[in-house]
Amino acid sequence: MADGLMRAGKVRTAASLYEIALRRASPLQRNAILVRQGLATYPHQRRVDLLGALEKLEGFGSHVFIGEGLATWHKTTPFLEDQRFVELAHKHASLLPIANWHWNLQTVLWALKRARGIIGDFVELGVFKGHTTIFAAEYLEFAAWDKRWHLYDTFEGIPDDQLDPGWAASNKATYSGTFSFEEVRDRFSAFPNIDVIKGRVPEVLEDSTPERIAFLHMDLNNSTAEIAALDALFDRLSPGGIIVFDDYGWATARAQHDAENQWFSQRGLEILALPTGQGLFIKPV
């Protein structure tokens, strides 16, 4: 019934029914309902297409998970067995216009846990509304960590002179009047060790960057700024430090992928492409 309601556009009613169904679901049923619940938060009609794809994949077997750009089946989904993860992902889902970002969030959590023991602070370049960082900060109780997290963004979109081909329309639609720097800054008010900094990369990095970096999350959606950021920050990345490239494997971000591959290959290094669309790099010790 709930699936039919979602197809009919009655998303809130469908979400309520999914919530009721969770209370008496078996573990396997629970996973299927949680995936549907995530699709119900997607502010786009494509949720119906994703629901249809989900149902087709369920015909192949169990443990199906689907989000924007990634579907898995016959795979363990440990995040769906983690109640805290599920609750926080659902709590902040509206901050990101993409459904079921769980695999990507899991990658970032893994990197942050590993980076906790590495010398240096954390840096995020490209914050948007703060979805990934607020999720991770709450999950990890980051306020109690002996680290600082520096978040940089223009909060006004990608500067025109940094736009890669094909990004102009998306840039305008995503950023024009949809949120503000103040809104994002206030979202992190409970974390005295998180700094939200407004400015253009790479220029803003000249004045307020930590001397040592343990974790770098790169999500600037353009190759010009990301290569400039690598030039500015790579030497500050501690041995064993981790970079997660948010856009690296997405077809729409091919300019970033190619530019970063060239930058790393010139140094005898390589980024690992992940099926999430992310790229992962660990600096050699």
Side-chain angles (χ1 to χ4, degrees):
M1 179 184 293
D3 288 355
L5 288 168
M6 188 147 69
R7 286 194 184 87
K10 299 179 180 180
V11 181
R12 290 186 179 180
T13 305
S16 297
L17 290 179
Y18 291 140
E19 187 66 35
I20 293 169
L22 279 174
R23 298 171 191 167
R24 53 178 180 270
S26 68
L28 198 57
Q29 291 171 330
R30 181 177 181 274
N31 287 6
I33 295 167
L34 286 172
V35 176
R36 285 166 164 80
Q37 195 175 51
L39 295 180
T41 68
Y42 194 17
H44 195 288
Q45 185 58 27
R46 193 155 60 236
R47 61 177 170 259
V48 175
D49 297 329
L50 290 174
L51 176 62
L54 173 65
E55 291 173 328
K56 288 181 180 179
L57 289 173
E58 287 173 336
F60 297 154
S62 63
H63 296 86
V64 179
F65 186 89
I66 192 166
E68 186 66 35
L70 179 65
T72 59
W73 58 99
H74 294 317
K75 297 291 193 302
T76 301
T77 48
F79 42 78
L80 293 183
E81 300 169 14
D82 181 339
Q83 187 62 28
R84 181 170 174 78
F85 188 113
V86 168
E87 289 175 355
L88 289 173
H90 184 69
K91 173 184 176 181
H92 298 300
S94 63
L95 298 178
L96 193 69
I98 297 176
N100 286 339
W101 203 236
H102 297 50
W103 281 111
N104 298 64
L105 294 174
Q106 178 175 259
T107 301
V108 172
L109 280 182
W110 174 88
L112 291 167
K113 291 174 184 177
R114 181 182 175 93
R116 185 175 189 177
I118 296 169
I119 295 172
D121 287 332
F122 297 169
V123 172
E124 180 170 61
L125 304 180
V127 182
F128 192 51
K129 297 181 182 180
H131 169 269
T132 298
T133 306
I134 192 64
F135 164 84
E138 290 186 359
Y139 183 93
L140 298 170
E141 299 180 343
F142 186 74
W145 285 31
D146 186 24
K147 295 276 190 188
R148 297 202 70 81
W149 205 338
H150 309 260
L151 314 182
Y152 301 88
D153 202 306
T154 65
F155 299 99
E156 296 174 352
I158 305 168
D160 288 344
D161 64 325
Q162 292 183 344
L163 283 169
D164 286 329
W167 273 84
S170 175
N171 186 49
K172 182 177 180 180
T174 302
Y175 282 93
S176 296
T178 58
F179 67 102
S180 67
F181 161 71
E182 291 78 14
E183 171 193 329
V184 179
R185 179 198 61 199
D186 293 347
R187 184 162 290 127
F188 292 94
S189 60
F191 296 91
N193 53 344
I194 294 182
D195 302 309
V196 183
I197 303 158
K198 180 178 172 65
R200 169 188 163 118
V201 174
E203 291 83 355
V204 70
L205 303 177
E206 296 174 3
D207 301 321
S208 59
T209 311
E211 287 299 317
R212 304 300 298 172
I213 297 171
F215 170 76
L216 172 59
H217 190 215
M218 190 85 78
D219 190 11
L220 291 166
N221 295 314
N222 76 88
S223 56
T224 300
E226 292 197 353
I227 293 300
L230 286 170
D231 289 337
L233 300 182
F234 189 79
D235 288 345
R236 300 190 185 199
L237 187 69
S238 295
I242 300 169
I243 306 177
V244 173
F245 296 88
D246 186 75
D247 312 311
Y248 176 79
W250 290 85
T252 53
R254 188 57 190 256
Q256 292 160 257
H257 173 278
D258 292 350
E260 285 154 2
N261 275 356
Q262 181 179 14
W263 193 95
F264 277 85
S265 66
Q266 288 171 347
R267 292 157 178 81
L269 302 170
E270 187 176 6
I271 300 170
L272 173 65
L274 303 178
T276 57
Q278 296 160 304
L280 178 66
F281 174 79
I282 302 175
K283 193 171 187 179
V285 176

